[in-house]
């Protein structure tokens, strides 16, 4: 089955530690995204990537980093510089950037990060 | 910039009641409009979409019509079920050719009681 796989589903971190969230897709999509979701709020874009080896900052990129070395993978690192990292993180992909299906995102099931 | 405003929740309905979740938007150009649904503990799923004025998107008994004159895309369902309990997000995508241009509303929590 094609889809997006995020791992881990739940993650606990001590303050001052970096943590990496995995996102893998087998949909052959060009574009991938990371969103952050906080209770009662909409989704906020952290980073996005339109092609391999290229990515752009979203609205709340500070304290986060990404890489896109392979088309199917787009890991997100939450660094110790992120002041309030406890949140639900969602990875998504879309077939291509700027095409007529822009906006039709396929989401993973999310990773819930809790900082202790 | 682009923005989406949804009615505040939570919304609680009895089974078989009529549902309306209001959504209005502000955007330059001619955006595409979407409703996404998020079931508890899961990611979002596309529920329906409309790409131009007067288009009606529909899926699983839900409908929404793209109203350019009122800049609205209200979600409706004639008879809700307990299984419709979820968070619903309205979103727009500007036809700017950029990958990032999906703007979400804040979401509306719907609870349907048996």
């Amino acid at each position: 089955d094609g889809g997006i796989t995020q791992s881990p589903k739940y993650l606990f971190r001590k303050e001052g530690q970096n943590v990496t969230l995995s996102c893998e897709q087998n949909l052959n999509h060009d574009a991938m995204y990371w969103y952050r979701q906080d209770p009662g709020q909409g989704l906020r874009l952290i980073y996005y990537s339109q092609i391999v080896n290229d990515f752009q900052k979203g609205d709340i990129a500070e304290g986060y980093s990404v890489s896109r070395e392979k088309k199917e993978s787009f890991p997100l690192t939450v660094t110790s510089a992120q002041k309030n990292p406890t949140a639900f993180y969602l990875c998504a992909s879309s077939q291509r950037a700027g095409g007529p299906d822009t906006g039709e995102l396929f989401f993973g099931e999310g990773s819930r990060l809790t900082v202790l | 910039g682009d923005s989406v405003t949804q009615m505040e929740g939570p919304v609680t309905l009895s089974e078989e009641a009529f549902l309306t979740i209001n959504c209005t938007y502000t955007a330059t150009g001619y955006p595409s409009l979407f409703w996404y649904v998020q079931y508890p503990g899961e990611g979002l799923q596309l529920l329906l979409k409309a790409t131009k004025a007067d288009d009606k998107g529909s899926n699983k008994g839900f409908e929404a019509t793209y109203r350019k004159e009122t800049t609205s895309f209200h979600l409706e369902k004639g008879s809700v079920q307990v299984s419709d309990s979820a968070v619903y997000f309205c979103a727009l995508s500007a036809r700017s050719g950029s990958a990032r241009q999906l703007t979400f509303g804040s979401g509306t929590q719907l609870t349907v009681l048996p």
Side-chain angles (χ1 to χ4, degrees):
Chain A
D1 277 23
I4 298 181
T5 302
Q6 289 187 240
S7 63
K9 195 172 178 73
Y10 299 96
L11 187 62
F12 297 90
R13 186 193 97 178
K14 293 182 180 178
E15 280 193 27
Q17 288 181 334
N18 292 355
V19 63
T20 296
L21 308 180
S22 170
C23 178
E24 303 279 331
Q25 56 101 356
N26 60 4
L27 299 167
N28 200 34
H29 285 175
D30 287 331
M32 297 187 74
Y33 313 78
W34 275 105
Y35 288 90
R36 170 178 171 141
Q37 184 179 22
D38 294 287
Q41 297 188 32
L43 278 68
R44 293 183 289 171
L45 183 64
I46 304 172
Y47 268 98
Y48 65 102
S49 168
Q50 300 185 53
I51 57 172
V52 174
N53 292 322
D54 184 60
F55 49 83
Q56 284 80 41
K57 292 182 179 180
D59 300 316
I60 56 165
E62 185 175 351
Y64 299 98
S65 66
V66 293
S67 62
R68 186 88 186 275
E69 297 176 1
K70 298 184 295 182
K71 187 176 184 178
E72 60 270 22
S73 179
F74 191 43
L76 173 74
T77 297
V78 184
T79 75
S80 57
Q82 169 50 233
K83 296 288 186 267
N84 185 22
T86 294
F88 190 52
Y89 292 89
L90 287 162
C91 180
S93 69
S94 64
Q95 189 165 16
R96 56 188 181 276
D101 58 353
T102 297
E104 291 190 41
L105 301 187
F106 292 77
F107 284 84
E109 293 195 342
S111 293
R112 187 168 297 282
L113 172 63
T114 302
V115 174
L116 303 173
Chain B
D2 299 340
S3 67
V4 176
T5 302
Q6 286 183 238
M7 66 183 285
E8 291 190 14
V11 174
T12 303
L13 296 173
S14 297
E15 207 165 23
E16 298 183 2
F18 184 85
L19 168 72
T20 299
I21 301 178
N22 290 339
C23 172
T24 57
Y25 67 89
T26 302
T28 54
Y30 302 94
S32 295
L33 301 174
F34 305 82
W35 277 100
Y36 280 83
V37 58
Q38 184 179 32
Y39 297 104
E42 298 184 8
L44 278 70
Q45 303 173 25
L46 179 64
L47 180 60
L48 55 84
K49 69 173 185 177
T51 57
K52 61 183 187 295
D54 299 325
D55 267 3
K56 178 186 283 188
S58 61
N59 186 25
K60 299 181 181 179
F62 291 90
E63 293 183 340
T65 301
Y66 188 164
R67 300 286 187 200
K68 191 169 184 295
E69 63 276 13
T70 54
T71 62
S72 65
F73 193 55
H74 305 322
L75 182 68
E76 297 181 336
K77 186 174 186 182
S79 176
V80 293
Q81 305 299 312
V82 172
S83 57
D84 294 327
S85 297
V87 181
Y88 292 82
F89 292 92
C90 186
L92 70 83
S93 174
R95 295 178 187 175
S96 65
S98 169
R100 66 161 292 184
Q101 297 307 326
L102 192 65
T103 302
F104 286 90
S106 58
T108 302
Q109 172 80 54
L110 170 66
T111 301
V112 180
L113 302 175

